[in-house]
Amino acid sequence: MLDFNTICEFSRNHCVAICAFLVPANLVATISTIILTAVRRPAAQVQRVATIGNLFAGVMIFHVITWFMVGVVMAPTYVLFILASTCLSVNCWAMAHPSSMVRLIRGLLALIGFNKQQLASNE
């Protein structure tokens, strides 16, 4: 049976490999959630991708917490914690209230030069 201390040690011993997988996985899953929400895909599809993103973010938060438990307080731990927290927040937002996310995305696109005709032609 797996012991909590064993899991924490594994996490710290394989930090580079874990972070090399989790950082891109978090970013890809969260960006996919944002894109699927922006193009108004069915809620089930958005929730599926957001759940996978939340899983990656949760694992990264646990990984960072294992470093905090042994007293490692450095910039990379904070950066990874903020990244995971942001991804978790965005994924939860997309699942809980996708219409407000769509409004924000459309507003940002309008600010950078897309007009309503271009946005309407993509729907």
Side-chain angles (χ1 to χ4, degrees):
M1 186 166 157
L2 289 175
D3 181 27
F4 182 72
N5 289 329
T6 306
I7 295 171
C8 291
E9 278 299 316
F10 177 85
S11 177
R12 289 188 296 268
N13 288 335
H14 300 286
C15 181
V16 174
I18 289 170
C19 289
F21 171 75
L22 285 178
V23 169
N26 265 309
L27 293 173
V28 167
T30 303
I31 290 169
S32 298
T33 301
I34 292 169
I35 291 170
L36 291 175
T37 303
V39 297
R40 297 179 186 246
R41 298 298 298 167
Q45 191 175 12
V46 173
Q47 288 179 351
R48 191 175 309 124
V49 174
T51 301
I52 293 168
N54 285 341
L55 176 69
F56 291 145
V59 171
M60 183 178 282
I61 288 172
F62 172 75
H63 174 65
V64 171
I65 287 173
T66 63
W67 283 106
F68 286 148
M69 288 175 11
V70 295
V72 175
V73 180
M74 295 173 35
T77 53
Y78 287 112
V79 169
L80 291 173
F81 188 76
I82 291 169
L83 172 70
S85 299
T86 303
C87 290
L88 187 67
S89 299
V90 169
N91 288 323
C92 288
W93 179 23
M95 289 192 303
H97 205 266
S99 61
S100 65
M101 182 180 278
V102 169
R103 279 196 311 269
L104 175 69
I105 293 168
R106 291 184 184 259
L108 291 173
L109 289 174
L111 278 175
I112 62 171
F114 285 89
N115 58 29
K116 291 185 180 182
Q117 290 81 21
Q118 289 172 323
L119 294 175
S121 66
N122 291 335
E123 288 183 357

